[in-house]
């Protein structure tokens, strides 16, 4: 490694060469989806096997055409199932790739964020608290660096690391930076790292089982038993009446195949996965699939202020020193060299002095870039200023301490510069710099400063105070005591434009938005009021107030508090618990490493894609790619849409299957001829169960989806009258089909025509019913049919299928159908449409 590489990192060309030679920095996993496995798993079903065997037997007994057709239908069903499942697996895999971690790397002297997989040996990376270390490295620079190596050693206490000895400077892939900052050189990547040797990989997407899917799987089992019993009854009564044994057995099995809603759980997965990809388009990356279900129940959204509710584009608007406030836009601010040094030196921005444009050459925390831009216009000027001093020690900013310090060597003397939340700085000052003179920091001075901070914060300004002291000796303990107060700067961070609208949408949807911030009470109130999160100051409470409350008192207060100000990350956990104790479903955002416990505790833990640390991202169930509050609300909306759609196709599938079973059951009960042949039952299953049900899974939302209250988390999927709807409608489909069959008999049509009437009535009833399932409140008259083109396409495909079966002579003989005339179609349409018509009239005039 040459001198240049030591400071500027590898060149891009060299990195590309190494990546090609040594491969990507990733741990190998062998859980790729295998299409063949998925296809074969489609046949891994007991009932299907019985059907195949029964078909084979009937084939041998002479019904060859039937046997072949049944096999073709079984294979077509398997292909349909395969396409669904393969698509789901693929999109889940793509999501895993997207959630892959990133790293901050120096290449050609420029700091870039790249995918951790592209890192190579020799790369220089920057590490900060909360980062998961992306490869095995040696620290080359460090400040207060501490890591959590519990993943490797099992030891959960933090380990200090520094760039001195070889042992102390070794840091390992997968471990976490707990504190401090550091620069490190990569020594091993991928499977060659310590972690690779252990090869215990942390999955990015956890495939937790979805509670809804589990409940449906349990329901499925009950339905299977019920179906088998009914099918057995149908088969046995047929045999008792002297019908052909094999035919009746085949009929029973076909009915079981058609009636058992095997697609139920599969379609839930498809709906969830498609929902996840829709959410991704709206910038919400879901890491845990079950979160999608919970999202729809969210009743409280606790959001950080900075960057989520506000733009995170900061500008200094006011400065306070020499006992007065200067407003930057309205007057010229006199130069205050010490304040300039405190805010510029005690600052972790990275610079790349290319060109003159200072905005383009600053990278880092927006608060800190704003401070630099307040004092400098040009790069040259800034570089000259920075070159005059060298940082010899620092204590980085952290949200608990709310301050940061550096020691700078300027010529022969060393000075400590400190900046942070005004109350914290004031507490540590003994003197004040007033018009160039150092004076004792009397309470008179303190009160004036506090008043100025109050004035600025009421204008929604974020206040940061600066202080200093000449040092040289004390580093570590006592460094930040007995400081000399210099001044305060007030920074504006305007609310995001879309946030106000999103807050309003929350309120209409019965969701309470809560703001949590480390900022001053007044600043928080001013922003909260502008966004309509709170109306008066009684709704604001500070971290200090919070410390005085017991958990019970805090929980009681949650009803009236909408803004939590000057809180530290550890308060967030208490806040989540307090809201949860009141039976709320809580979504909570977080970015820093200390936020992870609260994010984990929340029902929906949300991390920030841009400013979030790896640890918080891993604790979260959803990542906001744009750090935007409005995105949370969109995700909640998607959660509701998905749940609604799941209800829609459950309603559809179950009532249709009930209709099918009941048709056969009623016929056997009243000693009628079998209204449908096995092959016809399988055709009904193919035409109605597959495509239309999937299309319902992607149905666009009803316009009032965000105007009701969130549903309770433990509400059954069949709640709010769904089970009754399924029972009634399913029974009516069965009754109408049997009626069509009976009318056919009454008109003295031959048995083939009567069965064709029943077949068409059953299929058409279901294809009409699928549109009814699109809404639980509105009638077919109010429906915009073409808003779901997939459904229209699916229904058109099914109708074409029946037409072929009815009118193509070859298929007529295969499916034992006859071509219906206009009058006969009249019977079909009457019996399949009458219930939908009555139901729609009822809903319309209700
Ligand atoms: P949120 O929790 O909504 O992100 P926040 O960003 O204001 O709010 P913190 O980052 O914890 O929360 O900041 C709290 C306070 O610490 C600020 O009001 C400010 O006074 C001070 N502060 C913020 N950033 C810095 C910094 N880089 N250096 C020194 N002090 C800072």
């Amino acid at each position: 490694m040459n001198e240049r590489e030591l400071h500027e990192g590898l060149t891009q060309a060299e990195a590309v060469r190494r990546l090609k030679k040594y491969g990507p920095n990733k741990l190998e996993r062998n859980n790729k989806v295998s299409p063949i496995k998925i296809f074969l798993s489609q046949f891994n079903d007991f009932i299907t096997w019985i059907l195949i065997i029964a078909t084979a037997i009937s084939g041998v007994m002479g019904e060859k055409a039937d046997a072949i057709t049944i096999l073709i239908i079984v294979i077509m069903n398997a292909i349909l199932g395969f396409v669904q499942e393969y698509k789901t697996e693929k999109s889940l895999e793509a999501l895993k790739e997207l959630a892959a971690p990133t790293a901050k790397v120096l290449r050609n002297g420029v700091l870039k964020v790249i995918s951790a997989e592209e890192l190579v040996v020799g790369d220089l990376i920057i590490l900060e608290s909360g980062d998961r270390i992306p490869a095995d490295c040696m620290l080359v620079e460090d400040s207060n660096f501490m890591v959590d190596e519990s993943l490797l050693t099992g030891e959960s206490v933090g380990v200090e690391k520094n760039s001195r000895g070889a042992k102390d400077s070794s840091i390992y892939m997968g471990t976490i930076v707990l504190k401090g900052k550091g620069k490190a050189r990569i020594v091993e990547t991928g499977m060659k790292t310590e972690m690779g040797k252990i090869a215990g990989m942390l999955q990015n997407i956890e495939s937790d089982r979805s509670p809804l899917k589990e409940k449906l799987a349990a329901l499925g089992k009950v339905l299977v038993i019920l179906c088998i019993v009914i099918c057995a009854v149908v088969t046995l009564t047929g045999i008792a009446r002297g019908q052909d044994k094999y035919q009746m057995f085949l009929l029973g099995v076909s009915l079981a195949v058609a009636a058992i809603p095997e697609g139920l759980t599969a379609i839930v997965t498809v709906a969830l996965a498609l929902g996840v990809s829709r959410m991704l388009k709206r910038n919400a990356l879901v890491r845990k699939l079950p979160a999608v279900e919970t999202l729809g129940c969210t009743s409280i959204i606790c959001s950080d202020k900075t960057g989520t509710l506000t733009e995170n584009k900061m500008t200094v608007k006011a400065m306070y020193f020499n006992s007065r406030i200067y407003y930057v836009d309205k007057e010229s601010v006199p130069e205050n060299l010490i304040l300039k040094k405190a805010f510029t030196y005690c600052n972790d921005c990275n610079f790349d002095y290319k060109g003159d444009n200072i905005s383009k050459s600053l990278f880092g925390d927006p608060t800190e870039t704003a401070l630099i831009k307040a004092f400098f216009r040009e790069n040259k000027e800034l570089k000259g200023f920075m070159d005059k001093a060298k940082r010899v020690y620092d204590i980085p900013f952290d949200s608990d301490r709310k301050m940061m310090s550096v020691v700078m060597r300027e010529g022969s003397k060393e000075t400590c510069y400190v900046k942070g939340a005004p109350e914290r700085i004031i507490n540590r000052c003994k003197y004040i710099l007033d018009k160039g003179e150092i004076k004792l920091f009397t309470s008179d001075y303190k009160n004036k400063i506090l008043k100025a901070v109050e004035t600025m914060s009421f204008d929604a300004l974020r206040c940061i105070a600066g202080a200093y002291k000449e040092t040289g000796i004390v580093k570590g303990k006592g460094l930040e005591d007995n400081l000399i107060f210099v001044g305060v700067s007030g920074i504006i961070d305007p609310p995001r434009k879309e946030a106000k609208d999103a807050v309003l949408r929350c309120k209409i949807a019965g969701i309470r938005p809560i703001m949590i911030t480390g900022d001053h009470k007044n600043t928080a109130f001013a922003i909260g009021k502008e966004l309509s999160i709170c109306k008066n100051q009684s709704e604001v409470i500070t971290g200090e107030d919070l410390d005085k409350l017991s958990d019970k008192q805090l929980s009681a207060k949650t009803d009236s508090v909408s803004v939590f100000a000057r809180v530290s990350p550890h308060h967030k956990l208490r806040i989540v618990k307090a809201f949860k104790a009141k039976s709320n479903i809580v979504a909570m955002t977080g970015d820093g490493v200390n936020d992870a416990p609260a994010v984990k505790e929340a029902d929906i833990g949300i991390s920030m894609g841009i400013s979030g640390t790896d640890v918080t991202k891993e604790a979260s169930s959803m990542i906001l790619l744009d750090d935007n509050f409005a995105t949370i609300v969109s995700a909640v909306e998607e959660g509701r849409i998905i749940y609604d759609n799941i209800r829609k196709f459950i309603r559809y599938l179950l009532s249709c299957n009930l209709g099918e079973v009941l048709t056969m059951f009623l016929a056997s009960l009243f000693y009628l001829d079998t209204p449908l042949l096995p092959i016809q039952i399988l055709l009904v299953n193919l035409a109605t169960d597959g495509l239309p049900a999937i299309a319902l899974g992607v149905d666009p939302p009803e316009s009032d989806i965000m105007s009701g209250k969130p549903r309770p988390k433990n509400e059954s999927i069949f709640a709010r009258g769904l089970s009754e709807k399924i029972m009634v409608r399913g029974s009516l489909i069965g009754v109408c089909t049997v009626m069509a069959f009976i009318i056919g008999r009454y008109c003295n049509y031959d048995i083939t025509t009567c069965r064709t009437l029943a077949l068409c009535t059953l299929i058409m009833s279901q294809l009409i019913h699928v549109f009814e399932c699109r809404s639980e409140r509105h009638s077919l008259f109010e429906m915009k049919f073409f808003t779901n083109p997939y459904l229209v396409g699916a229904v058109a495909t099914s109708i074409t299928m029946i037409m072929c079966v009815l009118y193509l002579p070859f298929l007529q003989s295969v499916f034992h159908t006859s071509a219906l005339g206009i009058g006969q179609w009249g019977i079909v349409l009457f019996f399949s449409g009458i219930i939908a018509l009555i139901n729609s009239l009822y809903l319309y005039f209700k």
Side-chain angles (χ1 to χ4, degrees), residues 50 61 123 137 151 153 155 191 283 339-340 352 387 418 423 436 473 488 540 571 589 716 735 834:
I50 296 192
M61 306 286 297
D123 261 334
C137 320
L151 200 69
T153 60
E155 196 71 47
M191 292 306 281
N283 282 325
L339 198 63
K340 185 172 177 176
D352 142 31
D387 285 348
V418 184
E423 317 91 90
I473 10 158
V488 182
V540 188
H571 288 125
T589 66
S716 149
V735 170
I834 182 78

Side-chain angles (χ1 to χ4, degrees), residues 305-306 365 368 397 399 419-421 462-463 517-519 566:
K305 172 180 72 71
T306 310
D365 179 42
E368 307 209 319
F397 172 76
S399 305
K419 77 177 193 313
R462 172 183 174 81
C463 294
T517 174
D519 234 330
R566 270 293 186 252

Side-chain angles (χ1 to χ4, degrees), residues 135-199:
D136 286 1
C137 320
M138 301 282 264
L139 270 178
V140 290
E141 276 173 33
D142 64 283
S143 95
N144 282 296
F145 203 78
M146 188 185 262
V147 292
D148 170 359
E149 294 191 333
S150 56
L151 200 69
L152 282 179
T153 60
E155 196 71 47
S156 60
V157 283
V159 188
E160 288 197 14
K161 298 276 175 172
N162 57 56
S163 48
R164 294 184 282 279
K167 184 165 176 285
D168 288 344
S169 64
S170 297
I171 50 174
Y172 302 100
M173 176 194 238
T175 60
I176 293 163
V177 185
L178 282 181
K179 250 178 39 184
K181 278 183 74 163
K183 197 194 252 183
R185 187 162 47 81
I186 295 185
V187 290
E188 288 295 0
T189 58
M191 292 306 281
K192 293 215 186 88
T193 58
E194 290 303 312
M195 183 71 165
K197 287 179 200 152
I198 302 170

Side-chain angles (χ1 to χ4, degrees), residues 184-330:
R185 187 162 47 81
I186 295 185
V187 290
E188 288 295 0
T189 58
M191 292 306 281
K192 293 215 186 88
T193 58
E194 290 303 312
M195 183 71 165
K197 287 179 200 152
I198 302 170
M201 181 55 187
L202 287 151
Q203 293 277 355
N204 284 318
I205 296 224
E206 292 167 30
S207 46
D208 297 18
R209 299 203 54 181
S210 135
L212 181 60
K213 234 173 103 177
E214 273 179 19
K215 272 190 236 158
L216 286 177
L219 172 81
K221 284 198 184 117
V222 178
L223 290 180
V224 168
I225 296 173
L226 211 71
C227 283
I228 291 179
V229 171
I230 297 180
C231 296
V233 171
V234 172
T235 313
L236 293 176
T237 28
I239 295 173
R241 289 176 58 209
Q243 303 214 2
D244 180 60
K245 265 190 227 143
Y246 290 107
Q247 268 300 314
M248 285 321 288
F249 181 62
L250 199 57
L251 183 82
V253 180
S254 308
L255 185 57
V257 169
I260 291 169
E262 69 282 352
L264 210 57
T265 51
I267 301 185
V268 172
T269 315
V270 174
L272 290 177
L274 289 176
V276 165
S277 55
R278 269 203 316 270
M279 284 191 194
L280 189 61
K281 285 198 194 113
R282 298 173 85 169
N283 282 325
L285 171 62
V286 174
R287 293 185 65 253
K288 297 175 186 167
L289 217 45
V292 181
E293 281 167 41
T294 324
L295 264 172
C297 317
T298 309
S299 57
I300 300 280
I301 302 177
C302 295
S303 170
D304 284 336
K305 172 180 72 71
T306 310
T308 313
L309 287 163
T310 63
E311 285 186 0
N312 216 5
K313 288 192 188 123
M314 307 213 191
T315 325
V316 172
K317 285 283 172 201
M319 296 255 188
Y320 172 88
F321 54 88
N322 296 346
S323 302
R324 64 158 286 198
I325 304 177
Y326 296 91
Y327 287 95
V328 176
D329 294 339
K330 294 184 191 144

Side-chain angles (χ1 to χ4, degrees), residues 288 331 543 611 634 652 800:
K288 297 175 186 167
E331 56 197 313
S611 65
S634 308
Y652 172 68
T800 315

Side-chain angles (χ1 to χ4, degrees), residues 5-109:
E5 283 181 354
L6 218 53
H7 292 105
E8 300 196 345
L10 299 177
T11 59
Q12 187 60 25
E14 176 60 17
V16 169
R17 196 186 66 77
R18 291 189 190 188
L19 187 65
K20 243 192 201 146
K21 189 162 172 201
Y22 300 108
N25 173 38
K26 66 172 182 190
L27 301 186
E28 279 151 27
R29 278 177 275 167
N30 42 7
N31 56 352
K32 282 239 167 228
V33 286
S34 137
I36 297 182
K37 232 167 140 183
I38 295 180
F39 185 70
L40 290 180
S41 75
Q42 304 302 316
F43 297 96
N44 191 11
D45 168 34
F46 181 62
I47 306 279
T48 310
W49 274 111
I50 296 192
L51 179 70
I52 292 173
I53 293 169
T55 314
I57 295 173
S58 84
V60 174
M61 306 286 297
E63 299 280 348
K64 286 216 172 55
D66 267 16
I68 292 171
T69 320
I70 290 179
L71 276 180
I72 291 176
I73 292 184
V74 169
I75 291 171
M76 277 174 81
N77 257 326
I79 292 175
L80 217 64
F82 165 78
V83 172
Q84 280 173 20
E85 207 170 302
Y86 187 67
K87 212 175 149 207
T88 311
E89 289 293 334
K90 275 280 167 211
S91 49
L92 286 181
E93 212 171 65
L95 286 181
K96 277 185 197 168
E97 302 281 316
L98 259 171
T102 54
K104 294 175 268 293
V105 67
L106 268 170
R107 296 247 173 105
N108 297 339

